């Protein structure tokens, strides 16, 4: 019971601290804005640890964070192998192929009205479908290796990326295009100097949305068959062995790589579209 | 600047100009044609094996040699033996009409003529797609309701409490970058081991997936009234509850619908993925069973039903959105 009591005290202390910080005079500073969510997160982790120990929850149901950290530390090599298999080979290669193909298709759509009227409704429709469902088929076609995961990822990222890029390419207004026309700019020149830069915010929006989709596709595809490594494989087999700390470690890896992936895209966006309204301090 | 004199870049199509293929039907027909063509190389190995068993001359004659050859090379060397491509028993890629037949067999035919079908037993056949679709749909709806309900409540809390805003909101945003589906099998197994099974575990996953888009969208929506409108409420000395009820909630409706569309699609994905670890019915279970037993037509049929469900759900929310916004006078 003392653990549970400690947990409640910890919660009260953390919350009180946050209330003071959030309503205090320094709430606009960057340090406080960073500290408050971090304190909240740390409090939640501490509560988790204390409650699991205090209520004697079986580690088969919910392991405490300390056990997860331990398992994470001892299995670093294994998890690194899973990371390269799922994230670097499966998700990233599929992401690159899918987004690249969507970009080229968007350029083609931009040049042809027929393609635009035919592909866009289809693309909007497909973007909402549960494409993860194609995973069993693609695993059957491309085998258990990372290729089938990349194929699932390509399908998942293609349509959201296409829709966003096409929207971006039509983001310039008539005056701007007319100006290019009076300069006698050719289509490639207009594209490079005006329309692509104007489309960048939309393209990055697509890249950010699809970064999460890519990881989901790669992990779910492994539930349908994989070699003996990979995050999805690790999760499903460790559950079979009731090795919950290992499952959580794999989830931590997935979460960290998802956030890092997204953060990387957001960082590149920050550097390349510094001129856009959404990026100029606000 | 007038439109008439402005250079348009592209010549206008004249009335009565050359007839052209209508884009969307043309595109769909094109896709179906590509599908029929793709069936040939995809199934060439199985087709040739079947032809060989039926006594036809196949080159090269040994199956091992054929296995190591490219699909197109095999097609080029055996042009006469490919008639079976579109009617194989267990093809790698079933042709569109085989999928349609499977769809018909596992819905209408199963219910009308099946031993466990609707006509004979009075309830939907547990071998039919309608039953599996309903199982998935139930979990989707339950999860969607829980997820959006909690999401709206949390958003209201975040908008009204600066502490909650500063401590929870960053985590809600970060959680959007995490492949949450990875949690699905664990949630199922853990809930199962504490005695909760059936609909609820799948609904929990659906709820979890639909929760965060709703939180993020609703926070934006509840904050969308501008300073003038908020000031007006303050000059009326309106209590917080009245501001919420009469200004913030109505203003957030367009944002709510935008996130509901994302949330329902995510719920469906959650329900399907949630059905993978526990084989107790549902479209996800159907797909996994199909992939275990090589019943590709069954996977495709389940996939098409899932696609139709997703399209219907998103369309229904879109229709509700248009109606609501029109009645509220906010239609674009």
């Amino acid at each position: 019971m003392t653990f549970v009591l400690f947990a409640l005290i910890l919660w009260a202390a953390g919350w009180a601290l946050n209330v003071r910080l959030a309503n205090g005079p320094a709430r606009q500073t960057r340090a406080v804005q960073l500290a408050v969510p971090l304190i909240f997160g740390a409090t939640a982790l501490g509560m988790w640890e204390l409650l699991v120990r205090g209520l004697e929850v079986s580690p088969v149901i919910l392991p405490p964070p300390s056990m997860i950290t331990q398992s994470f530390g001892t299995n670093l090599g294994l998890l690194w192998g899973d990371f390269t298999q799922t994230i670097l080979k499966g998700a990233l290669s599929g992401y690159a192929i899918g987004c690249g193909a969507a970009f080229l298709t968007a350029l083609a759509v931009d040049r042809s009205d027929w393609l635009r009227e035919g592909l866009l409704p289809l693309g909007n429709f497909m973007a909402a479908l549960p494409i993860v469902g194609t995973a069993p088929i693609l695993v059957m076609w491309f085998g258990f290796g990372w290729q089938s995961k990349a194929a699932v990822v390509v399908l998942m990222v293609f349509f959201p990326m296409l829709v966003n890029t096409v929207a971006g390419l039509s983001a310039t207004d008539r005056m701007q295009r007319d100006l290019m026309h009076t300069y006698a700019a050719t289509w490639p020149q207009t594209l490079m100097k005006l329309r692509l830069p104007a489309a960048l915010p939309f393209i990055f929006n697509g890249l950010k949305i699809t970064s999460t989709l890519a990881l989901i596709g790669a992990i779910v595809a492994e539930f349908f068959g994989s070699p003996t490594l990979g995050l999805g494989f690790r999760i499903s087999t460790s559950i079979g062995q009731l090795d919950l700390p290992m499952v959580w470690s794999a989830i931590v890896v997935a979460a960290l790589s998802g956030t890092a992936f997204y953060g990387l895209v957001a960082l590149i966006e920050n550097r390349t579209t510094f001129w856009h309204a959404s990026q100029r301090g606000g | 600047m007038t439109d008439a004199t402005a250079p348009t870049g592209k010549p206008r199509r004249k009335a009565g100009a050359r007839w052209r293929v209508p884009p969307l039907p043309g595109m769909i027909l094109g896709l179906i044609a590509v599908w029929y063509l793709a069936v040939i190389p995809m199934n060439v190995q199985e087709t040739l094996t079947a032809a060989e068993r039926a006594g036809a001359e196949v080159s090269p004659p040994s199956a091992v040699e054929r296995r190591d050859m490219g699909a197109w090379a095999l097609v080029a060397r055996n042009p006469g033996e490919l008639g079976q491509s579109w009617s194989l028993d267990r093809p790698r890629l079933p042709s569109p009409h085989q999928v349609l037949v499977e769809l018909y067999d596992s819905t209408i035919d199963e219910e009308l003529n099946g031993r466990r079908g609707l006509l004979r037993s009075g309830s939907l056949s547990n071998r039919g797609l309608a039953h599996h679709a309903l199982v998935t749909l139930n979990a989707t709806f339950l999860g969607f309701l829980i997820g959006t309900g909690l999401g709206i409540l949390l958003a209201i809390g975040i908008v009204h409490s600066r502490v909650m805003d500063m401590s929870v909101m960053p985590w809600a945003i970060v959680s959007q970058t995490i492949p949450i589906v990875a949690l699905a099998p664990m949630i199922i197994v853990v809930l199962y081991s504490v005695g909760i099974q059936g609909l609820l575990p799948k609904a929990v996953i659906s709820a979890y997936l639909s929760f965060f888009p709703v939180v993020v969208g609703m926070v934006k929506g509840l904050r969308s009234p501008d300073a003038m409108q908020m000031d007006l409420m303050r000059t009326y000395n309106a209590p917080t509850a009245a501001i919420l009820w009469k200004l913030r909630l109505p203003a957030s409706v367009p944002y709510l619908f935008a996130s509901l569309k994302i949330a329902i699609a995510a719920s469906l994905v959650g329900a399907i993925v949630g059905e993978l670890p526990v084989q107790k019915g549902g479209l996800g279970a159907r797909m996994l069973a199909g992939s275990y037993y090589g019943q590709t037509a069954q996977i495709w049929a389940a996939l098409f039903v899932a696609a139709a469900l997703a399209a219907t759900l998103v369309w229904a929310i879109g229709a509700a959105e248009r109606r609501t916004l029109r009645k509220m006078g906010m239609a674009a």
Side-chain angles (χ1 to χ4, degrees):
Chain A
M1 272 326 279
T2 43
F3 278 124
V4 180
L5 204 66
F6 269 131
L8 292 179
I9 292 173
L10 180 69
W11 179 254
W15 193 252
L17 185 61
N18 268 354
V19 170
R20 283 199 70 144
L21 280 176
N23 294 319
R27 65 164 182 265
Q28 297 294 345
T29 59
R30 192 146 175 80
V32 171
Q33 282 182 348
L34 208 65
V36 170
L38 285 182
I39 292 173
F40 180 80
T43 315
L45 273 184
M47 290 265 298
W48 176 357
E49 176 85 36
L50 289 169
L51 281 181
V52 165
R53 282 175 188 273
L55 301 174
E56 287 171 358
V57 179
S58 154
V60 173
I61 291 174
L62 186 66
S66 55
M67 270 176 84
I68 298 170
T69 324
Q70 204 183 2
S71 162
F72 189 86
T74 49
N75 294 306
L76 264 185
L78 209 58
L79 288 170
W80 176 254
D82 296 340
F83 172 78
T84 43
Q85 170 74 16
T86 305
I87 310 288
L88 298 186
K89 288 187 191 160
L92 268 186
S93 58
Y95 180 75
I97 298 172
C99 289
F103 182 76
L104 294 181
T105 314
L107 289 186
V109 164
D110 185 59
R111 299 230 61 174
S112 145
D113 281 344
W114 192 86
L115 272 182
R116 177 197 302 274
E117 286 161 41
L119 254 184
L120 269 200
L122 220 60
N124 275 319
F125 175 72
M126 295 289 282
L129 295 188
I131 296 185
V132 268
T134 56
I137 296 166
L138 292 168
V139 168
M140 198 180 287
W141 288 355
F142 294 99
F144 284 177
W146 60 269
Q147 293 86 344
S148 60
K149 281 74 200 172
V152 176
V153 174
V154 168
L155 277 191
M156 280 188 80
V157 303
F158 183 81
F159 292 103
M161 191 64 204
L162 176 69
V163 172
N164 270 292
T165 313
V166 170
L169 285 177
S170 53
T172 49
D173 63 33
R174 180 162 205 121
M175 286 281 260
Q176 295 168 326
R177 284 197 303 268
D178 278 349
L179 180 65
M180 293 310 272
H181 197 78
T182 54
Y183 291 159
T186 56
W187 186 80
Q189 282 173 329
T190 315
L191 189 70
M192 289 308 294
K193 304 227 153 117
L194 169 65
R195 304 184 56 212
L196 268 190
L200 273 183
F202 291 83
I203 293 176
F204 273 109
N205 190 29
L207 285 176
K208 283 197 284 192
I209 297 172
T210 50
S211 71
T212 317
L213 287 179
L215 295 200
I216 292 177
I219 293 175
V220 172
E222 285 182 0
F223 294 155
F224 286 96
S226 65
T228 56
L229 77 171
L231 290 172
F233 167 82
R234 191 68 56 210
I235 290 171
S236 50
T237 47
S238 299
I239 286 178
Q241 301 159 351
L242 289 179
D243 185 2
L244 266 278
M246 189 69 199
V247 177
W248 278 98
S249 304
I251 288 171
V252 168
V253 173
L256 285 182
S257 32
T259 312
F261 194 3
Y262 188 95
L264 197 67
V265 178
L267 186 74
I268 300 174
E269 174 182 27
N270 215 331
R271 289 288 155 82
T272 46
T273 61
F274 52 87
W275 45 269
H276 191 255
S278 65
Q279 302 288 338
R280 290 191 304 244
Chain B
M1 188 178 77
T2 54
D3 259 64
T5 54
T8 52
K10 276 179 200 145
R12 281 271 169 76
R13 214 174 296 116
K14 279 179 226 126
R18 190 165 59 86
W19 183 84
R20 65 181 196 138
V21 186
L24 191 55
M27 191 61 89
I28 292 172
L29 283 179
L31 277 181
I32 295 177
V34 169
W35 186 345
Y36 268 109
L37 277 181
V39 166
I40 304 176
M42 286 299 287
N43 292 337
V44 69
Q45 301 276 0
E46 290 84 351
T47 312
L48 291 184
T49 313
E52 193 182 25
R53 283 201 194 119
E57 285 283 322
V58 177
S59 85
S62 96
V64 180
E65 268 179 275
R66 284 205 299 273
R67 203 188 57 210
D68 295 333
M69 280 180 68
W72 288 109
L74 279 177
V75 171
R77 287 177 68 170
N78 301 284
E81 312 297 335
L82 297 170
Q84 291 291 309
S85 294
W86 295 279
S87 51
L88 283 172
D89 217 15
R90 293 168 70 176
R92 244 151 77 88
L93 175 62
S95 37
H97 66 263
Q98 283 178 308
V99 176
L100 282 183
V101 167
E102 165 74 21
L103 264 177
Y104 175 82
D105 282 349
S106 54
T107 51
I108 298 167
D109 188 52
E110 176 73 25
E111 302 306 341
L112 291 185
N113 304 320
R115 192 165 54 80
R116 283 177 274 189
L118 193 57
L119 270 193
R120 305 245 178 115
S121 68
S123 62
L124 286 173
S125 165
N126 61 356
R127 290 171 52 190
L129 268 178
H131 162 80
H132 290 286
L134 269 184
V135 170
T136 304
L137 209 53
N138 276 338
T140 307
F141 276 136
L142 186 61
F144 177 70
L145 288 181
I146 299 174
T148 44
L150 290 180
I152 292 173
L153 285 184
L154 182 65
I156 291 175
I158 285 177
V159 168
H160 286 102
S161 149
R162 190 184 291 129
V163 194
M164 277 185 79
D165 178 22
M166 287 177 77
S167 25
V168 180
M169 200 54 194
W171 293 107
I173 293 172
V174 167
S175 72
Q176 300 245 293
T177 67
I178 296 174
I180 297 177
V181 186
L183 288 169
M186 190 188 61
I187 293 176
I188 298 273
V189 172
V190 166
L191 287 183
Y192 190 84
S193 69
V194 294
I196 303 170
Q197 46 177 307
L199 195 60
L200 202 59
K202 289 188 277 176
V204 168
I205 296 169
S206 288
Y208 201 60
L209 284 179
S210 56
F211 176 71
F212 293 107
V214 173
V215 172
V216 175
M218 273 306 274
V219 166
K220 227 186 238 173
L222 290 171
R223 290 219 171 110
S224 63
D226 61 30
M228 287 274 266
Q229 295 165 325
M230 292 299 289
D231 279 348
L232 182 65
M233 290 310 250
R234 245 168 252 135
T235 54
Y236 291 159
N237 197 20
T240 316
I243 298 183
L244 176 69
W245 198 243
K246 300 203 164 141
L247 175 59
R248 285 190 191 273
L249 278 181
S252 71
V253 169
Y255 295 85
L256 176 65
F257 275 111
S259 27
L260 285 188
K261 279 191 223 164
I262 302 172
I264 194 90
S267 285
L268 186 64
V269 171
I272 290 177
V273 174
E275 281 156 359
L276 297 181
V278 181
Q279 293 286 306
K280 289 250 175 69
L283 293 175
R286 186 94 171 166
M287 286 174 197
L288 196 62
S291 93
Y292 279 161
Y293 302 117
Q295 295 294 331
T296 40
Q298 185 183 320
I299 307 181
W300 281 93
L303 198 59
F304 273 73
V305 172
L309 274 187
T312 317
L313 291 174
V314 173
W315 172 83
I317 290 185
E321 174 182 26
R322 279 189 299 277
R323 273 187 78 121
T324 316
L325 291 188
R326 204 169 46 234
K327 287 210 168 153
M328 291 173 70
M330 294 165 92

